[in-house]
Amino acid sequence: MSTDTQDPVMKQCCLFPTAYISRVLLEKLQPKLSKLELHTETTISYDLDEQYFTIEGEGAFKAEQIIREDLLPKLNATIDENYLKGTYEPLEYGSYTATSTTAESTTTPILVVNHKPELEQAEHDFYVMNDENKSVESLHEDTIVRLFEISPRIEHPSDLLIGPPQQNMQSADYLALISTHTNTECTLIERIITIEGHDEESTQDAFDRFTTIQKTYLGQNRCLVTPCIHYPLESESYSLFFCNLHSYRHKRWVNHQHETNALYVLLPVFQDPVTQDFQQPVDLVHQSLPHPSIGPLVTQSPCLSNHIPPHTPIRKQKYTQPISNPPSPSPESLQPLQYWDSDRDYINSYNTGNLSFLSSERLGRAFTPSSSNGSSPMPFPNSMFPELPLPAPSPIPTPTNIKQRFSKGYTPSLKNDKRKTHRVIHIVPQKANSSTPKKRLSRLTIAKEYNFTNIKAALREGLESVRGFKGEVILSAKFGKILWSNLKPEIHKQLWPVTDIKDIIVQEYKIRPLFSNMTTNNDILVDIISEKLPIPFNKTSTYEFHCNARNSPNIPYKPVVVHMNQGAVDVKKVVITEHNVAEIDWVTLDRKYDFQLTLSTKQLIRCDVKPYNTFIKWVSICPITRQMTFENVPKFLEVSHVLLKEKTKYRVPPFTLEITKIEVVQMSPVKGSNQKITAKPGGDRTWYDIELQYPPHISLFEQNRTLEPGCKARWTPDEILGGRDCSVIGNYIPILLKLTELIERAVKEGDV
């Protein structure tokens, strides 16, 4: 229904649709209505309360005809015969097909606009503005429109839609690039991207590309941190203690470049099997063990009182000590923690081997609750059986006793219930059930499965987020030490269960482990390790120039790393950013070295453009003395320091082990020149990195170097991990553990 009013200056039209138009639907229709306003030179508004269109302007009747004959029939078609569907929220419109998207974007509609030949084509199209001449051109085919909503986790849409430099060294404009590659038109209105195309395939392609770009962007702005705690031997249950690095017995093996002062390492804390007291860790020196409270279950700290995970078992406590005034007892005087499963009033009744059988009275009283009612626990004698107050045994029948019974008026009975002189229950092996009971898993097996599950989940999510990353993708493991910093007193003055490191320390406290990022600076240790490995099959040397560079004097400097082979003066690659997408921080307790398995990305740019091609022309190396001379590029590139990396590769089937010697090259300016610098290896600042890689991953990740904007690599996370059972990662971890033991033996072998 419509009402028209005319005057010499203004034309106005009101249009009342039958279907209900919600605020959400109106926002999705607004881009098309705005284009219709431009073409017909009208102003179109909609009253959500009264549910009608108001069209004002010279072309009001044209706009009204387009809406009435093109849009309203599609809305009316959604109303059923009972006039229910299409008149109440939420709505599912026939012309709007719900499309399942990722969690980062909401469901977006598809609007198909059919143009009728009996009406003027220009009046019944949804129009597209030409960017070159700002004129309007009509579409002569059906137009499909999809809407992509940017995730609320992205603060500014421009951060998502402006990418790294492309081949022309200009920042990528994803709206324009995706429009060109998919033959669609993509426009941004607030936080919604409108995708218009001639067919569903092209619009779907553009929509998928924006989804990939968003997932990649979110992956590059976070790091999935997964700590894994591993004790290499079968053991009893233990807790974890954050030991200050200064009190760590093997601190000389921890080489790091972190500037923070307070660093900690994790140590296992066991209980004495007899006294149940917490024992001081073997590798803890010059420090008393804190009051043994388990994690946040005892502390009075308000920051943890509301963050106990629902699956964390709460243990009974017989006493609690405020963490604000922790006592400082000696390790010998520490009181044991009362566990939930040991705070019970039942007496153990197992056979220790000293008795061949259990008496009936002893067996009956063993399962009877004691009457201590909260009193102090009973002492355990040497036999490990408690001293139970047994009743006096009945006298053994003797002829004298029988005569006494008869003299007291004993009446014999015909019943044959002769009392036994000594009744015992002899426990004999019973026949096993037909179904074999399940074997109980050891603590070591449970810990391995727990760690393996967390590793698979983290790597699978990280790999999915880098499939659309254009650049260098690396999955490798490096040996070093897992460190912790920024620990509050309520953290490092407590003992923690193993699972609380991930659930409480990392997820609740938001404390990220620090990796030493270097293995060792001891030449003797590396020599011993090298002797235990096969003959190396490859050696390479690479210079890394760490610079501040820019390609225009109007933009600020940014840090870049220029890679150059030692044997040839040529730029190998230029890295502008490096990011860890996923980190698996594996802590091997009672060992001097841990390892970190990382999924990382490197953003690369062209090497044959200024200022890098200019810089490499001024680099010269003497092949005999290895002395190098280079110059900064004024106003474009300045070198801060140079690293020389000498890499030796060993085959550890099916993996490759790399031992890299890293040296900070000494630089000195040339006298009489402001820009020329000389550099020569042979300084004292050197260290070693030991890494493990899987060669098939390198060829698969090569696909990421040539991706178009918004496209994904052909490999899948299952292909990288080794199928559904993750066989590659299943082989990765055992090899890393074997190498950890090899390094441990190398440290002890030469007493280096």
Side-chain angles (χ1 to χ4, degrees), residues 376-387:
S376 59
M378 299 177 62
F380 284 85
N382 294 334
S383 64
M384 295 185 67
F385 282 89
E387 295 293 340

Side-chain angles (χ1 to χ4, degrees), residues 333-507:
S333 63
L334 290 174
Q335 297 297 323
L337 181 68
Q338 300 297 328
Y339 286 94
W340 174 79
D341 56 356
S342 65
D343 187 16
R344 57 182 183 173
D345 294 329
Y346 293 93
I347 302 171
N348 295 328
S349 61
Y350 52 88
N351 195 345
T352 61
N354 298 330
L355 299 177
S356 60
F357 56 86
L358 297 176
S359 68
S360 60
E361 293 172 335
R362 182 181 294 273
L363 187 63
R365 293 185 60 84
F367 294 92
T368 303
S370 64
S371 59
S372 58
N373 294 329
S375 60
S376 59
M378 299 177 62
F380 284 85
N382 294 334
S383 64
M384 295 185 67
F385 282 89
E387 295 293 340
L388 301 178
L390 301 177
S394 301
I396 301 176
T398 61
T400 306
N401 293 336
I402 295 175
K403 291 180 180 180
Q404 292 175 355
R405 291 179 180 177
F406 275 108
S407 61
K408 294 180 181 179
Y410 174 77
T411 302
S413 174
L414 296 177
K415 295 177 66 175
N416 188 15
D417 56 350
K418 191 184 299 181
R419 300 188 62 172
K420 296 182 179 180
T421 60
H422 187 62
R423 183 177 179 178
V424 298
I425 297 178
H426 190 75
I427 300 178
V428 296
Q430 301 295 320
K431 186 177 180 181
N433 297 331
S434 57
S435 60
T436 305
K438 233 180 183 181
K439 187 177 180 181
R440 186 177 180 181
L441 298 177
S442 65
R443 294 184 183 275
L444 183 59
T445 303
I446 294 174
K448 287 182 178 179
E449 292 182 355
Y450 174 76
N451 291 333
F452 191 55
T453 301
N454 292 335
I455 291 173
K456 289 190 295 184
L459 290 182
R460 195 180 300 277
E461 184 177 353
L463 287 168
E464 190 62 41
S465 68
V466 301
R467 285 187 66 189
F469 177 81
K470 183 180 181 180
E472 186 174 352
V473 180
I474 303 172
L475 179 62
S476 64
K478 181 187 292 188
F479 290 92
K481 195 66 178 178
I482 304 297
L483 305 172
W484 305 80
S485 66
N486 300 324
L487 300 184
K488 298 179 180 179
E490 61 262 28
I491 296 178
H492 67 78
K493 289 187 177 181
Q494 297 186 55
L495 302 182
W496 294 86
V498 173
T499 54
D500 281 2
I501 299 301
K502 176 179 180 291
D503 298 335
I504 303 298
I505 301 298
V506 175
Q507 294 184 358

Side-chain angles (χ1 to χ4, degrees), residues 104 153 215-216 218-219 222-226 454-467 581-582 599 715 717-718 721:
E104 307 301 339
R153 295 168 57 187
K215 185 180 295 185
T216 303
L218 293 174
R222 66 171 179 173
C223 181
L224 300 172
V225 178
T226 304
N454 292 335
I455 291 173
K456 289 190 295 184
L459 290 182
R460 195 180 300 277
E461 184 177 353
L463 287 168
E464 190 62 41
S465 68
V466 301
R467 285 187 66 189
V581 178
L599 175 65
W715 55 262
D718 283 341
L721 298 177

Side-chain angles (χ1 to χ4, degrees), residues 2-243:
S2 63
T3 60
D4 305 333
T5 60
Q6 300 187 28
D7 58 65
V9 179
M10 178 68 69
K11 294 182 179 181
Q12 182 176 349
C13 172
C14 295
L15 189 61
F16 292 83
T18 305
Y20 178 84
I21 297 180
S22 65
R23 186 180 300 276
V24 176
L25 177 59
L26 181 62
E27 292 177 355
K28 295 176 180 179
L29 294 175
Q30 195 60 48
K32 289 302 177 184
L33 295 175
S34 299
K35 293 186 178 181
L36 187 59
E37 288 178 331
L38 292 176
H39 177 70
T40 58
E41 298 180 355
T42 57
T43 301
I44 304 175
S45 60
Y46 189 79
D47 192 322
L48 290 170
D49 296 328
E50 301 296 333
Q51 290 287 306
Y52 68 89
F53 287 97
T54 301
I55 309 172
E56 299 177 349
E58 292 293 333
F61 295 105
K62 292 183 180 180
E64 182 267 345
Q65 190 178 14
I66 293 175
I67 294 176
R68 177 165 45 83
E69 298 186 12
D70 224 1
L71 177 61
L72 295 188
K74 293 177 175 55
L75 297 177
N76 296 338
T78 63
I79 303 176
D80 62 4
E81 59 182 1
N82 297 320
Y83 295 95
L84 294 176
K85 186 177 179 181
T87 58
Y88 298 96
E89 294 186 283
L91 302 176
E92 293 181 5
Y93 301 98
S95 58
Y96 287 78
T97 304
T99 304
S100 170
T101 64
T102 62
E104 307 301 339
S105 60
T106 59
T107 303
T108 61
I110 302 177
L111 176 60
V112 181
V113 183
N114 297 313
H115 305 287
K116 302 182 179 181
E118 63 270 13
L119 299 174
E120 262 186 65
Q121 186 70 31
E123 296 177 356
H124 293 276
D125 286 335
F126 280 92
Y127 301 98
V128 180
M129 187 67 75
N130 189 307
D131 291 334
E132 295 181 358
N133 51 21
K134 303 300 180 183
S135 63
V136 176
E137 62 182 31
S138 61
L139 301 178
H140 299 286
E141 299 177 359
D142 292 347
T143 302
I144 296 180
V145 180
R146 297 204 64 173
L147 302 178
F148 179 86
E149 185 174 357
I150 297 176
S151 169
R153 295 168 57 187
I154 302 174
E155 184 176 0
H156 303 291
S158 59
D159 296 339
L160 170 68
L161 300 177
I162 303 299
Q166 301 297 300
Q167 286 295 105
N168 58 359
M169 294 305 293
Q170 300 296 322
S171 297
D173 182 0
Y174 287 132
L175 282 177
L177 290 174
I178 293 179
S179 297
T180 303
H181 285 86
T182 60
N183 194 24
T184 59
E185 181 170 346
C186 306
T187 56
L188 174 67
I189 300 178
E190 294 182 352
R191 300 185 64 85
I192 296 178
I193 300 175
T194 304
I195 306 170
E196 305 174 29
H198 300 295
D199 52 68
E200 187 173 352
E201 183 179 355
S202 61
T203 55
Q204 181 66 39
D205 185 17
F207 184 87
D208 292 341
R209 291 190 183 217
F210 282 113
T211 303
T212 301
I213 289 173
Q214 180 169 263
K215 185 180 295 185
T216 303
Y217 175 84
L218 293 174
Q220 291 296 306
N221 284 272
R222 66 171 179 173
C223 181
L224 300 172
V225 178
T226 304
C228 297
I229 311 300
H230 171 75
Y231 193 79
L233 303 174
E234 288 287 357
S235 66
E236 298 297 328
S237 62
Y238 56 87
S239 300
L240 297 174
F241 169 61
F242 288 95
C243 170

